Amino acid sequence: MERRGAASVRNLWFRCGLWVKFAVLAVMGSAAALIAGFWLPAAQAGVTGAVFLALCGGAAARNESALSDRRHERERAATSLLVKDLRGGLPRVREVRDPVLVGIHPYQHEDGDGDYTESHWNTPPYIPRDIEADLHAAVRSGGFVLLVGESTAGKTRSAFEAARLLMPDRFLLSPRNRDGIPSLIGALNLQRPYMIWLDDLERFLGPGGLTSSALSRMLASGSTIVATLRTPEYDRFGDHAEAVVDSADYEVWRDGRDVLRQAKKIRIPRQWSPAERERARFHRSDRRISRALSASEVFGVAEVLAAGPELLEAWKNAWSPGAHPRGAALVMAAVDVRRAGMHEAVPVSLLERLHEVYLGNRGGAQLRPEALDAALAWTLRPLGHTGASMLVGEPATGLRAFDYFLDTLNLEVIPDESWDLILTQASPRDALDMGMTALLDARHDRAERAFAVAAGAGLAAADVAKAVVLGKTGRIDQAVDELRTIWESRTRSLGREARDTLDAHAKLAYLTLKQGRPAEALALMRELLPLREAHLGENHPETLDTRLQIANAVGRLGRPAEAADQCRALLGRFQRELGPDHINTLDVEARIAMWTGKSGRYAEALALTGELVGRRTSCLGADHADTLYARGRQVAWLAAVGLHEEALERARTLLDDRKRVLGPDHLHTLHARRQVARSAERAEGPDAALPVWRETLEEHVRILGAGHRLTRKVVEFSGFRVG
């Protein structure tokens, strides 16, 4: 009983706040001095009281120091927050009175007679969505909750209503951008659970922001993270992106992917269901809801409430001569800034320089453009009965394009002049994001320039990214040299077992294999395997990938049957760990088919590849890079079994599809050109194939140059000479 009472007292003491402890210690010190004066001689009382006061004072001083440190952390975190309380500190979720501050679209207040006031903005009644049960369950269980959907689908409103309902007394941490993440993590030292709000999650990902390690520290505090992300941004880290960056992906993309993998993802559609529209009818007395419902067969209710369709129509009409063409060009410039990979607001001065490109492309002076001040005011003016505008932010601090335009406009490729100008204004981390975006768009020239800017500023991830791009564009020797230097440098500074060192190690091994040095690559991979097993586990995807690369190196050393057997042995592990339809599992199936064919079993390889084309089409889509690659292997096995006419027909179709999907200058498109030429020679004869070879050689010289190894290969096959 006494022991239990003592334990209760200890627990109560630990639960007390620092201010309570500080007060108790001060009272104890004073009381000790008084009691000593009653019971002890004056001299002894003075000594005893002094000692006890010193002990209590020391403990109190330590508590005061801790209070000061924690107060400093709170103040530092508060300076980078979107939402604060009336004293400038951390608010509770229930104290958020202006939902626009957390990213919810503004709406104008409507009074009783239907007129609109000039200054009051508020939100319409909240309509529960069909995803509500899943969303509430995810928020209640805590951790990392992510709502994914198109612009104006209602992600932010649904997420914040759930947080306000389920955790009203939590303190709210809402960083403005990626730079606020470190101070936010410092505030977590207070050891209390928070609600961390990350609207438009793409703005927080990357070095110095939300990485896997930062996420782990947030979740370790018991805090709940609620975030939103537009579907196109989420897809940057999906299967398509994984195919583009392949097994030589690098830290930035990998860390963003790993962050998203830890989220409890809930998708919310833009179009409302009949049940959702029925629930909205309970609020049809609100004229904003009534208007949105009248258009809900074509648009989503939240889409209309946010004025997305109205803004888009106004922007299209603005290009008319004498209307607002300069304002429309400013919007276009802001849209392309975001498409290029810069997610934060940018200075007005950049938009002023950029918009001239778009205005000139549409007709320039013939459009009778308005003055710049009038154009800027038009882009910032709330439209009609809503609070939405085409550009968001303040001219003094920076502007962003309303994201609805990114999801609805049928946009062409960003002009080179615009992209280059954006890069000159980009911070090193923005340049890194621009390089990633360009890489996923298969614009390797742009990716290389952006990564070079970031690497020149000392961002560690950028040097690896630049080397990966060199490998993708055929400059394997240069890529391997740079990666070896990076790997050796990281080994010295971080140690051979550090995660970043292991990444550089893996990429070096992978590109050494592509360089045509399988024995050296195999040695590197066998050195890497036990390190990954020790630090990641035997069945971690990166460990399994290392085993797959070992099998590929064995095949490149002239032992294709052994490589096929190793891949078959790995297939079950990939299926168990990642699932039968995962992109990496499908890659193992592709390797089995390839090494089966390389071992001389062409008919079996053709059958396996035919099945793979069907599986990849079903799981990844007909235009996915891996599906197109499997079709290329199918052409090779058709030729190997002597079906040259069918091989030529499939090669021509593949070339058309690769030009459409990847562009005429992509390396895979050039490979398809070589396949068409070889198939034409076999099916129609050398003379008939000469024009095809000539065109193929001209394209290789134009894109790669006369001295490139692939150009020399075309010269060898065709018999033509360059120049």
Side-chain angles (χ1 to χ4, degrees), residues 68-89:
S68 177
D69 290 344
R70 295 186 180 186
R71 184 170 57 248
H72 175 69
E73 292 291 357
R74 276 200 303 268
E75 291 170 353
R76 192 159 67 94
T79 60
S80 62
L81 297 181
L82 282 171
V83 186
K84 305 174 187 178
D85 64 14
L86 296 176
R87 296 166 297 176

Side-chain angles (χ1 to χ4, degrees), residues 21 30 38 55 146 272 374 380 404 432 520 567 596 631 666:
K21 293 177 183 177
S30 301
F38 281 115
L55 292 173
L146 176 65
W272 283 36
L380 294 169
Y404 186 79
L432 196 60
E520 184 177 343
C567 291
T596 297
R631 288 171 55 190
H666 197 280

Side-chain angles (χ1 to χ4, degrees), residues 73-150:
E73 292 291 357
R74 276 200 303 268
E75 291 170 353
R76 192 159 67 94
T79 60
S80 62
L81 297 181
L82 282 171
V83 186
K84 305 174 187 178
D85 64 14
L86 296 176
R87 296 166 297 176
L90 301 183
R92 296 185 188 273
V93 175
R94 57 179 161 76
E95 295 173 339
V96 177
R97 295 287 179 254
D98 186 357
V100 174
L101 291 177
V102 296
I104 295 173
H105 296 296
Y107 304 85
Q108 193 169 22
H109 176 72
E110 209 169 17
D111 64 16
D113 62 5
D115 293 333
Y116 307 114
T117 65
E118 296 180 356
S119 60
H120 187 96
W121 300 92
N122 72 354
T123 52
Y126 176 62
I127 313 300
R129 305 295 300 273
D130 290 344
I131 50 95
E132 201 97 327
D134 292 338
L135 174 59
H136 286 190
V139 173
R140 280 195 191 95
S141 62
F144 180 20
V145 182
L146 176 65
L147 265 74
V148 180
E150 295 177 76

